Amino acid sequence: MSTTIGENGQNGVYKQRPLICSILDPNAWFKPERLHPQVESLIYWRDVKKSGIVFGAGLITLVAISWFSVISVFAYLSLLALFGTVAFRIYKSVTQAVQKTNDGHPFKEYLELDLTLSQEKVQNIAGVAVAHLNGFTAELRRLFLVEDLIDSIKFGVILWVFTYIGAWFNGMTLVILAFVSLFTLPKVYENNKQSIDTYLDLVRSKLTEITDKIRVAIPIGNKKPVAAAATESDKDK
């Protein structure tokens, strides 16, 4: 299927890549070098303690949201965090008074962190978001208006599969599964890269072969199979 996703090319030019290739290409999904160092450290479990804390806290929060309202979960977690910081602040103040030290505010390091977003960063994020949105909109138009019959049929099959996924899982369950996958799949792929790539190469080749056969059997659309295009090129020579 040639549904596309965006990728920044040279000189910041936005390029389109076939979605089916990206789905079956782990290198398109698992690229540690494209992540912020702190994010990469978390989801690849470079520091087991930090990753475990973030994963556990996030999972507990998502499970709580699935059982209670978002407002209630947010309020209780905020109260818990506020109680912890107030208690720690009082403890440090008492400790400093007893020991007659002047260590200052216990959260001084975090209070001085710069949390502002620069205008350049906001513009970069907005530019990437707009490029992805434009590509997504154009691709939906192409699929729904049947520019290529085979691609539209594949898209219909994917939508049909989603009807079953929607019947089996609710939205919050999918979010939880996605969160768990975020902290597991990258590390699994990193540890088993060679064997996973081998199997996915076989799947890609089979899908390409099947797609080419279907295009030959149903010659409707604006794309020619790779094998057919190569044969015509040889005949021209």
Side-chain angles (χ1 to χ4, degrees):
M1 179 177 177
S2 62
T3 310
T4 55
I5 63 172
E7 184 178 76
N8 288 327
Q10 295 179 349
N11 302 322
V13 178
Y14 186 79
K15 300 187 296 181
Q16 297 290 334
R17 293 191 60 205
L19 180 59
I20 191 64
C21 294
S22 299
I23 291 176
L24 296 177
D25 182 10
N27 293 316
W29 294 91
F30 307 125
K31 287 187 175 181
E33 65 275 7
R34 295 175 58 182
L35 299 173
H36 189 280
Q38 293 182 353
V39 176
E40 186 265 344
S41 176
L42 285 175
I43 65 175
Y44 281 89
W45 297 79
R46 307 303 187 203
D47 188 328
V48 177
K49 183 178 179 180
K50 288 184 179 179
S51 297
I53 293 174
V54 173
F55 177 71
L59 186 59
I60 291 173
T61 301
L62 292 176
V63 172
I65 291 175
S66 67
W67 286 96
F68 307 100
S69 70
V70 176
I71 295 177
S72 296
V73 173
F74 175 77
Y76 280 115
L77 289 177
S78 298
L79 280 173
L80 182 62
L82 181 61
F83 175 79
T85 54
V86 170
F88 186 72
R89 173 68 192 278
I90 294 175
Y91 167 76
K92 293 296 290 186
S93 298
V94 172
T95 302
Q96 291 177 23
V98 172
Q99 297 178 352
K100 296 182 180 180
T101 59
N102 187 20
D103 297 333
H105 198 290
F107 300 115
K108 181 180 180 181
E109 177 184 356
Y110 301 101
L111 288 172
E112 294 177 350
L113 283 176
D114 184 13
L115 301 179
T116 58
L117 288 175
S118 65
Q119 185 176 0
E120 181 182 358
K121 183 177 292 186
V122 172
Q123 290 177 345
N124 289 337
I125 295 174
V128 172
V130 169
H132 278 80
L133 180 61
N134 289 338
F136 180 72
T137 303
E139 187 63 18
L140 285 181
R141 179 184 62 183
R142 191 185 73 83
L143 292 170
F144 278 109
L145 298 183
V146 198
E147 180 180 332
D148 186 286
L149 179 62
I150 303 300
D151 287 348
S152 295
I153 292 174
K154 291 179 182 178
F155 183 57
V157 172
I158 292 176
L159 293 178
W160 177 71
V161 171
F162 280 162
T163 62
Y164 283 93
I165 294 176
W168 294 335
F169 308 103
N170 59 31
M172 202 61 224
T173 303
L174 293 177
V175 171
I176 293 174
L177 291 175
F179 181 78
V180 173
S181 299
L182 178 65
F183 278 84
T184 54
L185 295 184
K187 191 63 177 179
V188 170
Y189 176 70
E190 184 180 55
N191 292 338
N192 304 275
K193 186 177 187 301
Q194 186 173 0
S195 58
I196 292 175
D197 285 346
T198 301
Y199 286 115
L200 288 179
D201 285 340
L202 292 175
V203 173
R204 279 197 296 266
S205 63
K206 288 295 182 181
L207 284 176
T208 302
E209 181 182 348
I210 294 172
T211 301
D212 288 347
K213 289 181 179 179
I214 293 175
R215 289 186 185 281
V216 171
I218 309 176
I220 301 177
N222 62 343
K223 299 177 182 177
K224 295 181 179 180
V226 176
T231 302
E232 289 185 6
S233 177
D234 293 339
K235 289 182 179 179
D236 294 338
K237 292 179 180 180

